[in-house]
Amino acid sequence: MKFLAQPPRFLFFTGKGGVGKTSIACATAVDLAACGKRVLLVSTDPASNVGQVFGIDIGNKITAVDAVPRLFALEIDPQAAAQGYRDRIVGPVRGVLPDAVVKGIEEQLSGACTTEIAAFDEFTGLLTDAGLDADYDHIVFDTAPTGHTIRLLQLPGAWSGFLEDGKGDASCLGPLAGLEKQRIQYKGALDALADPLRTRMVLVARAQAATLREAARTHDELTAIGLSRQYLVINGVLPCAEAHNDPLARAIVEREQAALAAIPARLRTLPCDQLSLKPFNLVGLEALRGLFAQAAPLPANDDDAPFVSTAPTLAALVDEIAGDGHGLVMLMGKGGVGKTTIAAAVAVALAQRGLAVQLTTSDPAGRLAETLDGMLANLTVSRIDPQAATERYREQVLRTKGAKLDAAGCALLEEDLRSPCTEEIAVFQAFAGVIRDAGKQFVVMDTAPTGHTLLLLDATGAYHRDVARQMGESGVHFVTPMMQLQDRHQTKVLLVTLAETTPVLEAAQLQADLLRAGITPWAWIVNNSVAAAQPHSALLRQRARSEMREIAAVATRHAGRYAVVPLLRAEPVGVERLLALTAGARREDLI
C-alpha cells in the first residue's frame, strides 16, 4: 500500500460518506501496531462506529484494544466534550454569581456551537499534546464525512485568525469564553496539519463518478488550506473476473471501469491504491486483517435460488406519504447510504402526482442537482447554504440589534458576528424556515450524515428549551421547530441504511437518539440491496447472503414499516431513473 509507505505521525482518512474510511483507518491502525508501533486510533465523527468495528466499547476515553497489542482507540464524543467544556467555564462562577445568572450562562452554553468548539478543542489537543507525542508513534484519524471534516480542518486557522485579530473580547461567558487560553494550542495544531513530514491526508473514494468528483473537490479544499501531502485510495472495486456469465456483475464492472478511466485530472497525480470489494462485512479483527490482502478464490455457485422475492417497496411508502397532502419528509442516516438518491426519488414521485414539493438539503456536501439532472413540474430545489445563511443572518442582526447601538457597540457586535459560531446559529434559522414551509407543501429534506444532523437537532432542542423557559409562565401558546419535528402528522423521518452490519447498527443508534428527543422515525429504507437484485456472481451472492440477516433484523426488530430498494444497473441519476425507484424497477435494470 503506497499510503502506508514511511507513514508520518498523523494520518487522516477523509472522503464522502460510505466509501469505507472507518474500515481503512481501523485496518491501517491494526497494520501499524502489527509492525511494532504504538498507535492511537481516533474518530472525529460525531456518529463514530469504531467501537462497533472492533466489537468493544470505546467512548470518549483512550481505551486499549486488547486483541491488538500496542493499539489504543478514542472516540471524541461531542456531547461529553461539551459537558466538560461547560463545567470548566461555569464551575468557577457557580456559588459566586446569583443562581439566575449561572442558569443563563448554562443556557448560553447549551447549543450546537458549544458542542462543536468542545470537540474541536479535543481535536487540536491531540495534535499538540506532548504526552501523547511521547506515548504513541502514530495517531490515525477516522474522520466524519467530507463537509464536516473540511470545516473541522479549517477551524484551527479560523479560530487562530479570530483570536489574533483581537476578536472574541466582546464575548464574556458565552461559548468563546475559554478560547483565548487555547491560542498557542490552535497555532500548534495549524502547524502540525500543514507539515507534510508530520501529517498525511488519505482521500478515500469508490470507483464511482460522484465520489471521485467529491474526492477532487476535497483535494482542492485541502490544498487551499495548506494540506498538500495527499494520497488516494479507491475502495471496493469489483474484480473484473466476477463479470463472467453474470450480466449484473458485468454492468457493475463496466460502470466502475468507466469511472476510473474518467478520473479527474488533478487526482491522477496523487499516489493511488485500489482495494477490491470483499465478500464479507468489515467487522471484527479477522476481517480488518484481510482488507489489504489479496482476495482468495471463491467457490462456484451451487445454489441459484432467489434471495428477496417479496418485500415492501418504496412506491408503497410514497403512496402513504402522498395521502397527507403536505408535510416535512426528512431522510436521515450515515454517509454513503444513499439519502440524496432516496430523497430525490421521493420528491419526484410526489411531484409526478401533482403535489407541490420542495426538495432541499442540509448537507454541506449535498449534490441534489447532480442527482436530479433535470427538472419536473411541481418540483423546486433549494439548499441550506451555510455561507449564504450566515451572511443573511449577519445582515439581519446588524439591521435589527445594530440599529439600537452606537458606533462602539456596533463594532463589538460585528466582531462577535465574525466568530465561526455564527454559522451554526444561521444554519439553524434556515432549518427552522424549511420546517415552516412544510405547512403548505411537501418539503423533502436530504440531511447531512448522522453526526452533523444530530448537532443541528441539538441546536433545535436548545432553542426549544430556551423558548419554553421564557414562555412557560406566560400562558401564551407557542410552537417551536422541535415540537413540529416531534409531531408525526407534520414530520415523517425516514431512516436510510444499507443491508450491512455497521449501517444497520448505526441506524438503530440514530433511532434511539431520535426517540430520546421525542422524534419517532416513521419508516426504514434498506437501499442498494444486492440481495434484491438477484445476482449470480459468487462474490455478490456471498454478500447477498449476509444481507438477508440484516434485512430480517430491520423487518423484525427495528422498523414499524420498511422498504427494500434494489441496486440498479445504471446509477439512479436523472428524473426517469429516480421515478423507476418508486415505480417498480424492471428485472433488466437491476444490479
Side-chain angles (χ1 to χ4, degrees), residues 68 85 229 312 342 350 384 457 471 578:
V68 185
Y85 184 88
R229 186 72 167 178
I342 298 300
L350 291 171
I384 297 177
L457 292 179
M471 304 292 290
L578 291 168

Side-chain angles (χ1 to χ4, degrees), residues 249-435:
R250 188 180 309 123
I252 293 177
V253 168
E254 289 174 355
R255 189 169 71 195
E256 290 185 341
Q257 293 304 311
L260 292 173
I263 190 170
R266 51 198 184 278
L267 295 182
R268 294 180 185 275
T269 62
L270 302 181
C272 180
D273 295 293
Q274 284 191 25
L275 296 173
S276 62
L277 182 69
K278 298 297 185 286
F280 47 81
N281 282 332
L282 288 163
V283 175
L285 191 55
E286 183 179 352
L288 292 174
R289 286 173 173 155
L291 179 57
F292 298 151
Q294 285 291 107
L298 290 166
N301 287 326
D302 55 6
D303 176 14
D304 211 28
F307 288 104
V308 179
S309 55
T310 59
T313 65
L314 184 58
L317 293 186
V318 172
D319 286 341
E320 209 172 337
I321 292 169
D324 291 340
H326 65 84
L328 176 64
V329 181
M330 293 185 71
L331 284 296
M332 295 188 185
K334 86 182 288 292
V337 296
K339 295 186 301 296
T340 300
T341 297
I342 298 300
V346 170
V348 298
L350 291 171
Q352 193 188 43
R353 287 164 167 78
L355 299 164
V357 183
Q358 178 188 164
L359 175 61
T360 189
T361 182
S362 64
D363 189 347
R367 301 287 177 249
L368 283 178
E370 292 176 7
T371 301
L372 272 177
D373 193 28
M375 288 304 299
L376 191 68
N378 306 312
L379 178 65
T380 58
V381 180
S382 65
R383 174 172 175 254
I384 297 177
D385 182 332
Q387 291 184 338
T390 302
E391 188 56 38
R392 285 196 302 271
Y393 175 75
R394 285 181 178 136
E395 291 175 356
Q396 175 195 359
V397 171
L398 288 171
R399 188 172 58 252
T400 53
K401 293 185 178 179
K404 304 172 185 176
L405 300 175
D406 59 17
C410 279
L412 291 175
L413 181 60
E414 287 179 349
E415 285 179 2
D416 263 359
L417 290 173
R418 282 193 287 271
S419 154
C421 277
T422 302
E423 181 178 308
E424 297 297 331
I425 301 169
V427 169
F428 163 68
Q429 283 206 347
F431 176 54
V434 165
I435 294 174

Side-chain angles (χ1 to χ4, degrees), residues 15-16 19 146 203-221 232 234 258-260 262-267 365-373 571-574:
K16 183 176 168 64
V19 295
T146 307
L203 309 180
V204 183
R206 300 295 292 265
Q208 300 166 349
T211 60
L212 289 169
R213 287 194 298 269
E214 177 96 5
R217 283 188 287 265
T218 303
H219 165 72
D220 294 344
E221 290 180 296
L232 177 65
I234 300 176
L260 292 173
I263 190 170
R266 51 198 184 278
L267 295 182
R367 301 287 177 249
L368 283 178
E370 292 176 7
T371 301
L372 272 177
D373 193 28
E571 288 191 72
V573 174

Side-chain angles (χ1 to χ4, degrees), residues 488-567:
R488 297 188 71 183
H489 295 292
Q490 297 188 57
T491 301
K492 287 181 169 59
V493 173
L494 309 183
L495 298 185
V496 185
T497 187
L498 303 177
E500 298 173 12
T501 305
T502 298
V504 169
L505 286 173
E506 288 190 341
Q509 181 59 56
L510 172 58
Q511 178 163 267
D513 290 337
L514 292 171
L515 289 171
R516 281 192 290 273
I519 301 172
T520 303
W522 184 73
W524 283 48
I525 298 172
V526 180
N527 192 30
N528 284 342
S529 171
V530 176
Q534 307 295 339
H536 298 296
S537 94
L539 189 152
L540 293 182
R541 286 184 68 80
Q542 204 159 330
R543 290 187 67 87
R545 288 187 184 92
S546 65
E547 279 193 0
M548 295 301 293
R549 294 190 296 271
E550 303 305 328
I551 293 173
V554 170
T556 60
R557 294 207 302 270
H558 301 306
R561 57 169 63 78
Y562 76 104
V564 177
V565 178
L567 213 58

Side-chain angles (χ1 to χ4, degrees), residues 9 38 129-137 139:
R9 175 166 176 73
R38 283 179 62 84
D129 189 315
L132 291 177
D133 193 61
D135 289 342
Y136 301 101
D137 300 299
I139 300 182

Side-chain angles (χ1 to χ4, degrees), residues 6 35 43 47 75 99 176 194 202 261 343 377 409 456 475 482 513 533 562:
Q6 297 181 314
C35 293
S43 174
E75 294 173 325
D99 290 345
L176 305 182
V202 182
L456 182 59
M482 178 58 80
D513 290 337
Y562 76 104

Side-chain angles (χ1 to χ4, degrees), residues 183-202:
R183 185 196 302 266
I184 296 174
Q185 179 172 303
Y186 297 161
K187 178 65 166 59
L190 196 60
D191 292 342
L193 287 170
D195 184 352
L197 297 179
R198 286 191 283 170
T199 299
R200 178 174 297 172
M201 293 286 166
V202 182

